[in-house]
Amino acid sequence: MKDDSGPCKAITKAANSWAVQPNLLDYGKTCDQFSWATARRELDGLPENKGLNIAHEAVDRHANGPRGDRLAIRWLGKDGGVRDFSYSDLKRQSNRFANVLRKLDIGRGERVFTLAGRVPELYFSAFGTWKNGSVFCPLFSAFGSEPIYQRLSKGDAKVLVTTERLYKQKVAALRERLPQLKHILLIDAAQDIGEGLWSLPRRMEEAADAFIIPPTDPEDMAIVHFTSGTTGMPKGAVHVHNAVLTHYLTGKYVLDFHPGDVFWCTADPGWVSGTSYGIIAPLVHGVTNIIDEAEFDAKRWYQLLEEQQVNIWYTAPTAIRRLMRLAIDPTKQYDLSHLRCIHSVGEPLNPEAVSWGQQSLGLPIHDNWWQTETGGIMIANYPAVDIRPGSMGLPLPGIEAAIVRRGTGERVEAVTEPGTQGELALRPGWPSMFRAYLHEEQRYRKCFVGGWYITGDLAYRDADGYFWFVGRADDIINTSGHMVGPFEVESALMEHPAVTEAGVIGKPEALIGELVKAFVTLKPGTKPSEELRLELIGFARKKLGSAVAPKEIEFRNNLPKTRSGKIMRRLLKARELGLAEGDTSTLEVDE
Ligand code: ATP
Ligand code: MG
């Protein structure tokens, strides 16, 4: 599909001159110096050469300029309330929060956790924390007590920003086990309560408006982000202030930010997308960032896109698939004419979803790939290049990606043959690369082999350099000697009109090694039946051949998903085999 429709053209032209090299396979190397150095030049840096600080780049440099009154954040409350914050407002509020931390004697490198819904105070806390040189660690507010405990304790939390209700329900009983957690800032408490429980509004009221950001080394720790837990126990990925270079460049060339744009990222900051692109990237570009407090609701979402005249929308396959199953014709029922670019991340985006975007929203959906560990987008169907539906896209300039095969020890061989499956690897060194898994040195080291960062995903590259996701290394199915990626099977099933979602696993079987089994959810109004089950098996056989097509299909009302919307195949498998479920701290939707 050629992406030459609509206003994406403008960036296509601009970015083309910058990005596209005659030999796409090589451009990662050729653009290396150029892109990061350019990003660094285009950003400000702290005054008087005092380093690089995310909050300065995202907030103060706009607030200090002639357009400090521009709308930085428009917050939409669940109950219909609207609160607007200009860049100057945000500067003031984050200065105050930084002063609150300073008064509590919280310093550089100390961890400030948030456990709250998407409320404005969460965003003030993020920027105030960075200004103070402390480390921002966002958690999903819907976590239960034990996942909260694990993360606060692993992250050495010194401060927690939360609400009175969440504190009472989930944190109070943990205090004895968390001796290092000194201060709790309660977003909604009118008065201090004692025992380190402070009223955030009171502290903010008493704090001064002015704050000078102390010298910040670009390598200073800025964020600890826990991974989604799709494949096992979540890891605390450490990011530094220099990551802002990736956020800036990907905001420019992938998300396609232009002055005056209105942007909406649907992710919660508890997931890395909601921090890198729900907090940092849009503000670094000085655009207006919409924050919706509410959870998924198709009508509300379409209304929001219409009323807020959103230009750029960043969401996830799970949400797109939910929209696809509804009997709503979006462009007929809503005015979505302001939309210019739609992006997706988190899971493979089925080709079916890309064409649904074109047909129903009037725009194709740009898939992109990255991880908590990479801190920002690495591979994308970015606007300057043609979209290949079903592929993750091309590595961004400055990023060297490869398909590798591992030998013994440090031996790693890059596969050059197009279409050959292998491990997806990146050459270390991009600015937002994680610098550690907190307190898990060994686990971190194991990710780097023979000069490559091994991502844990399997993929292949086509002759034009596009990367195609095959599956998580852990999820690959070995059936009669064929290595089958669940994504291929899931996408084929999704092409059937009755199917909304599919999760595919390998089930041990004596003769063939593993048997391909699919769990399938159906479009509303479609009844599961033996006839349909057989039809789906036949349908998949036609598309995939009998070696790869599922031998077993089971209907489900829902598939188990993480809070970031990823299908937890390991849980489907554990349950199928009657094995222990492992860590389920991030499980949100259950069957
Ligand atoms: P954990 O590492 O704890 O198991 P996780 O890997 O799901 O959890 P994230 O860092 O949130 O945690 O997700 C990154 C992973 O999501 C990638 O490694 C990849 O498997 C998947 N992913 C993200 N974007 C895409 C995409 N566009 N296409 C295919 N897979 C994607
Ligand atoms: Mg991972």
Side-chain angles (χ1 to χ4, degrees):
M1 185 182 306
K2 197 156 165 47
D3 174 32
D4 55 1
S5 57
C8 272
K9 261 186 185 161
I11 182 70
T12 304
K13 201 161 161 273
N16 252 328
S17 58
W18 167 76
V20 178
Q21 301 290 313
N23 181 353
L24 289 172
L25 298 185
D26 270 333
Y27 77 51
K29 285 177 215 146
T30 48
C31 290
D32 193 26
Q33 289 306 315
F34 180 62
S35 50
W36 303 128
T38 307
R40 184 64 190 84
R41 267 200 305 279
E42 289 180 16
L43 295 178
D44 265 8
L46 288 174
E48 298 163 28
N49 284 333
K50 296 237 170 91
L52 185 72
N53 185 295
I54 295 173
H56 174 79
E57 300 306 327
V59 179
D60 290 11
R61 78 185 179 111
H62 304 298
N64 296 344
R67 287 180 292 178
D69 291 340
R70 223 181 324 165
L71 190 57
I73 286 178
R74 165 157 295 171
W75 176 82
L76 305 171
K78 307 195 246 246
D79 303 326
V82 179
R83 288 172 74 189
D84 283 346
F85 301 94
S86 67
Y87 279 89
S88 305
D89 294 334
L90 211 50
K91 176 178 176 184
R92 209 165 25 250
Q93 297 285 3
S94 51
N95 280 354
R96 285 179 175 224
F97 189 86
N99 280 319
V100 169
L101 291 182
R102 188 171 275 180
K103 201 148 181 210
L104 294 176
D105 210 19
I106 300 301
R108 185 167 166 212
E110 293 193 302
R111 259 78 86 180
V112 177
F113 275 69
T114 55
L115 177 76
R118 290 181 294 280
V119 292
E121 289 77 5
L122 171 61
Y123 298 80
F124 307 156
S125 308
F127 291 115
T129 299
W130 290 319
K131 286 185 172 180
N132 191 50
S134 309
V135 182
F136 176 62
C137 315
L139 299 180
F140 278 110
S141 62
F143 275 150
S145 256
E146 205 47 40
I148 292 171
Y149 167 73
Q150 285 167 6
R151 288 162 179 77
L152 292 178
S153 104
K154 190 183 241 178
D156 316 303
K158 249 318 187 18
V159 178
L160 174 68
V161 181
T162 188
T163 64
E164 250 188 292
R165 184 181 62 83
L166 287 169
Y167 176 76
K168 283 190 186 136
Q169 274 179 2
K170 303 185 180 189
V171 186
L174 304 173
R175 283 297 287 281
E176 274 188 11
R177 293 160 71 198
L178 294 166
Q180 82 285 12
L181 178 60
K182 293 278 183 282
H183 305 286
I184 318 276
L185 291 163
L186 297 168
I187 290 169
D188 52 354
Q191 302 295 334
D192 296 340
I193 297 173
E195 296 175 350
L197 290 164
W198 308 102
S199 151
L200 181 61
R202 285 210 63 169
R203 304 281 113 202
M204 290 283 275
E205 210 179 279
E206 287 165 10
D209 270 348
F211 185 88
I212 294 172
I213 301 178
T216 312
D217 190 293
E219 285 298 311
D220 278 355
M221 194 191 291
I223 302 167
V224 173
H225 229 299
F226 289 89
T227 59
S228 288
T230 315
T231 55
M233 189 69 174
K235 301 144 267 187
V238 170
H239 288 286
V240 297
H241 281 270
N242 209 37
V244 74
L245 300 188
T246 307
H247 301 141
Y248 174 73
L249 263 193
T250 51
K252 188 167 176 176
Y253 291 111
V254 182
L255 298 183
D256 189 24
F257 289 138
H258 283 77
D261 274 342
V262 176
F263 171 67
W264 180 33
C265 168
T266 60
D268 187 276
W271 178 30
V272 69
S273 302
T275 300
S276 293
Y277 297 100
I279 305 182
I280 305 171
L283 298 187
V284 172
H285 279 273
V287 306
T288 295
N289 193 23
I290 301 287
I291 291 159
D292 186 23
E293 190 193 19
E295 295 309 319
F296 177 90
D297 173 328
K299 281 196 184 139
R300 181 181 171 103
W301 277 29
Y302 285 130
Q303 251 161 24
L304 189 159
L305 290 169
E306 173 180 296
E307 283 167 15
Q308 301 305 325
Q309 307 189 347
V310 172
N311 306 115
I312 303 172
W313 186 29
Y314 198 11
T315 188
T318 180
I320 294 166
R321 292 193 291 254
R322 284 175 86 173
L323 294 174
M324 283 167 71
R325 68 194 275 186
L326 300 174
I328 298 179
D329 190 344
T331 43
K332 286 226 176 72
Q333 287 167 254
Y334 301 89
D335 175 8
L336 304 181
S337 58
H338 289 90
L339 265 183
R340 198 173 79 230
C341 270
I342 308 173
H343 305 273
S344 165
V345 69
E347 280 199 303
L349 186 68
N350 316 79
E352 193 68 8
V354 180
S355 28
W356 174 82
Q358 185 74 66
Q359 278 153 24
S360 304
L361 303 170
L363 291 169
I365 303 174
H366 299 254
D367 188 17
N368 58 67
W369 175 95
W370 59 289
Q371 307 178 302
T372 312
E373 290 86 344
T374 70
I377 302 168
M378 298 282 110
I379 298 178
N381 287 281
Y382 52 100
V385 299
D386 291 345
I387 292 179
R388 296 241 163 127
S391 92
M392 306 187 274
L394 293 162
L396 299 181
I399 300 300
E400 188 182 347
I403 302 297
V404 302
R405 284 256 171 82
R406 276 198 261 181
T408 46
E410 285 288 300
R411 286 186 57 186
V412 172
E413 183 197 349
V415 178
T416 46
E417 186 69 15
T420 308
Q421 225 168 272
E423 293 192 80
L424 175 61
L426 303 170
R427 192 68 88 184
W430 67 96
S432 63
M433 190 180 92
F434 69 136
R435 301 298 197 266
Y437 283 138
L438 205 60
H439 303 315
E440 291 187 277
E441 178 73 17
Q442 273 301 95
R443 215 174 175 187
Y444 181 68
R445 284 191 185 284
K446 269 175 70 180
C447 300
F448 298 88
V449 188
W452 291 97
Y453 162 63
I454 309 288
T455 65
D457 287 343
L458 297 187
Y460 67 89
R461 184 165 54 180
D462 68 20
D464 298 318
Y466 282 75
F467 282 75
W468 298 74
F469 183 80
V470 172
R472 312 286 192 127
D474 295 357
D475 290 338
I476 292 301
I477 304 161
N478 186 347
T479 183
S480 304
H482 297 273
M483 301 304 277
V484 178
F487 175 54
E488 185 188 5
V489 183
E490 290 161 8
S491 281
L493 285 167
M494 274 190 62
E495 283 178 40
H496 190 282
V499 175
T500 309
E501 257 181 338
V504 167
I505 62 160
K507 195 174 150 183
E509 209 267 0
L511 277 183
I512 53 172
E514 281 181 302
L515 170 155
V516 179
K517 169 153 191 174
F519 298 86
V520 161
T521 63
L522 297 174
K523 295 241 163 77
T526 312
K527 288 230 155 52
S529 67
E530 182 56 17
E531 207 183 336
L532 180 58
R533 202 180 64 78
L534 293 174
E535 185 183 319
L536 288 178
I537 290 182
F539 180 82
R541 276 210 184 129
K542 250 195 218 140
K543 300 232 156 239
L544 301 164
S546 57
V548 174
K551 300 245 176 332
E552 289 183 12
I553 289 186
E554 203 175 304
F555 296 115
R556 289 286 163 90
N557 290 330
N558 280 306
L559 298 178
K561 298 223 183 83
T562 64
R563 292 198 179 280
S564 47
K566 296 160 195 274
I567 298 170
M568 290 173 97
R569 293 175 192 81
R570 70 173 163 94
L571 210 56
L572 285 170
K573 188 162 177 171
R575 288 173 179 173
E576 176 72 23
L577 305 181
L579 302 173
E581 295 195 348
D583 181 76
T584 52
S585 61
T586 60
L587 178 67
E588 181 181 34
V589 180
D590 212 343
E591 296 164 64

